[in-house]
Amino acid sequence: MDGTDRRILNLLQNGLPVCDRPYLALAGQAGVTEEEFIARVARLKEDGIIRRISAFFQPAALGYRSTLCAAKVPEGDLDRVAAAINAFPQVTHNYLRDNDQYNVWFTVIAEGEQGVSRTVREIERAAGVEVRDFSSLAFYKIKVNFDMEEGGRNEGPTG
Amino acid sequence: MRDPLDRRIVRALCDDLPLSPTPFREIAQRLGVEEKELLRRVQRMQETGEMRRIGVALHHVKAGYMHNVMVVWDVPDDETARVGELMASQREVSHCYCRLRQRDWPYNLYTMIHANSEEGVLRAVREIAARTGCSEYRLLSTIRELKKAGMKYYSET
């Protein structure tokens, strides 16, 4: 990854313009042609640095609710339970974390409060473990931009 | 969002944008609508805040942010707004949520903290603890990513 790639990653994180030729619009700011911009993005995707380029929506504005859930899963059951949880499309993130009380933490997004609570119960049945729902009361930050330039990599996400 | 075409557009934008000079033209063709109409509706979704942006999901580790930790804090209920704002202003914090306490889990503020080294993460946690005066917290470091996917809204359309 060279300086131009980092510049491109920062530009993409701030967002693509919604217009006929969005990559052309950003290529100028990265100092490359549209063609080279697209080629570099393709390679960053092949290398897996970019997972995907897509829209980021505000769940509540679309009528969706999200929550954070956790379960205590014995080591021996981990793969089976993780597979059962991951099978739900409403589960977008699922992590094994270092905690003896709750070690499997995952997010659930579904249409409306009832959709979320129904999904959580279905997950409990499918996975065969008790699932705790740590529903959110407020949020103070959701902004996952990582400054990729000027030593930004060890700065952490920009606000 | 009840308009069926908007719902179809949202569902289409959850997938990877085509890597062509005119990605919206391709999506419009696939949905059987004029590109102008698609662009107008997507721009409106951005103005209303339904769509935050069309951006990129990075693989944090490969992008150089090797370490992330979830830190949960026990903050007095009448302090969560003040402390939450302070935590949100910390550079290494990417997410900060206030969540329901549970009987056996007294924590009510949840933060995701990222840095490119273990020390960087721990330094950020110490800084936050000092700035907010919070001493009741636990670190839940990430051992393994079991799933990470983008949400496919309105997938039944």
Side-chain angles (χ1 to χ4, degrees):
Chain A
M1 223 177 4
D2 63 15
T4 300
D5 289 328
R6 293 181 191 292
R7 179 98 188 93
I8 288 173
L9 289 175
N10 272 353
L11 290 168
L12 289 174
Q13 285 183 94
N14 286 327
L16 254 64
V18 178
C19 62
D20 180 45
R21 293 178 69 173
Y23 299 121
L24 176 63
L26 293 183
Q29 295 174 52
V32 293
T33 63
E34 180 186 42
E35 200 186 345
E36 182 179 349
F37 187 95
I38 291 176
R40 281 175 177 268
V41 171
R43 198 172 39 70
L44 288 165
K45 284 184 81 174
E46 274 151 40
D47 297 347
I49 294 170
I50 292 178
R51 285 182 193 264
R52 74 178 183 286
I53 296 177
S54 71
F56 290 76
F57 291 99
Q58 183 59 272
L62 299 182
Y64 280 73
R65 288 289 174 278
S66 68
T67 194
L68 178 65
C69 294
K72 181 181 173 60
V73 181
E75 182 68 29
D77 297 338
L78 203 51
D79 292 341
R80 178 186 60 74
V81 170
I85 293 172
N86 291 353
F88 286 79
Q90 299 92 333
V91 171
T92 49
H93 297 169
N94 188 8
Y95 288 97
L96 177 62
R97 294 197 180 285
D98 178 15
N99 184 267
D100 45 25
Q101 216 173 328
Y102 296 111
N103 56 342
V104 172
W105 290 78
F106 56 95
T107 54
V108 173
I109 304 179
E111 283 197 82
E113 295 298 345
Q114 298 71 21
V116 170
S117 45
R118 193 173 52 249
T119 305
V120 172
R121 278 196 307 278
E122 283 167 18
I123 291 173
E124 265 192 323
R125 271 198 302 279
V129 289
E130 191 206 342
V131 172
R132 274 299 174 75
D133 178 352
F134 296 94
S135 49
S136 72
L137 305 172
F139 70 86
Y140 299 106
K141 190 173 193 175
I142 308 176
K143 178 83 175 170
V144 192
N145 273 2
F146 291 89
D147 184 351
M148 301 299 292
E149 293 176 279
E150 305 107 26
R153 270 180 5 156
N154 44 37
E155 299 303 323
T158 50
Chain B
M1 183 182 271
R2 263 142 313 278
D3 178 302
L5 177 53
D6 277 348
R7 292 169 72 103
R8 287 174 60 222
I9 290 171
V10 167
R11 176 59 194 83
L13 292 177
C14 289
D15 294 334
D16 237 331
L17 212 68
L19 262 185
S20 88
T22 53
F24 295 107
R25 193 176 303 171
E26 285 183 33
I27 294 173
Q29 275 157 4
R30 208 168 358 115
L31 293 174
V33 294
E34 285 295 317
E35 183 187 11
K36 256 192 337 326
E37 178 67 3
L38 174 74
L39 291 174
R40 189 180 64 76
R41 285 171 178 254
V42 176
Q43 280 152 3
R44 187 164 43 79
M45 289 179 200
Q46 196 152 26
E47 280 145 23
T48 61
E50 287 158 315
M51 183 181 90
R52 287 206 296 266
R53 63 184 174 283
I54 293 183
V56 64
L58 296 185
H59 191 297
H60 296 152
V61 173
K62 289 191 175 138
Y65 288 84
M66 321 296 283
H67 294 276
N68 67 65
V69 64
M70 181 166 84
V71 182
V72 291
W73 311 77
D74 177 357
V75 172
D77 288 333
D78 55 5
E79 287 274 292
T80 49
R82 180 186 70 83
V83 172
E85 296 297 343
L86 262 174
M87 290 181 173
S89 70
Q90 182 82 19
R91 217 168 354 83
E92 292 86 350
V93 171
S94 64
H95 295 74
C96 181
Y97 276 81
C98 176
R99 296 187 179 281
L100 219 52
R101 293 178 203 273
Q102 309 259 345
R103 271 185 335 305
D104 60 347
W105 187 262
Y107 305 103
N108 59 344
L109 271 187
Y110 288 62
T111 52
M112 278 308 300
I113 295 177
H114 304 254
N116 82 332
S117 67
E118 194 64 39
E119 307 76 36
V121 167
L122 298 176
R123 193 173 52 249
V125 174
R126 281 196 303 276
E127 266 174 42
I128 294 172
R131 288 176 62 204
T132 58
C134 287
S135 52
E136 293 303 316
Y137 59 87
R138 286 179 73 170
L139 279 72
L140 291 91
S141 50
T142 306
I143 297 174
R144 189 154 46 104
E145 177 186 287
L146 302 172
K147 180 176 183 180
K148 183 160 188 185
M151 178 63 188
K152 307 290 185 192
Y153 293 98
Y154 305 128
S155 46
E156 76 293 346
T157 52

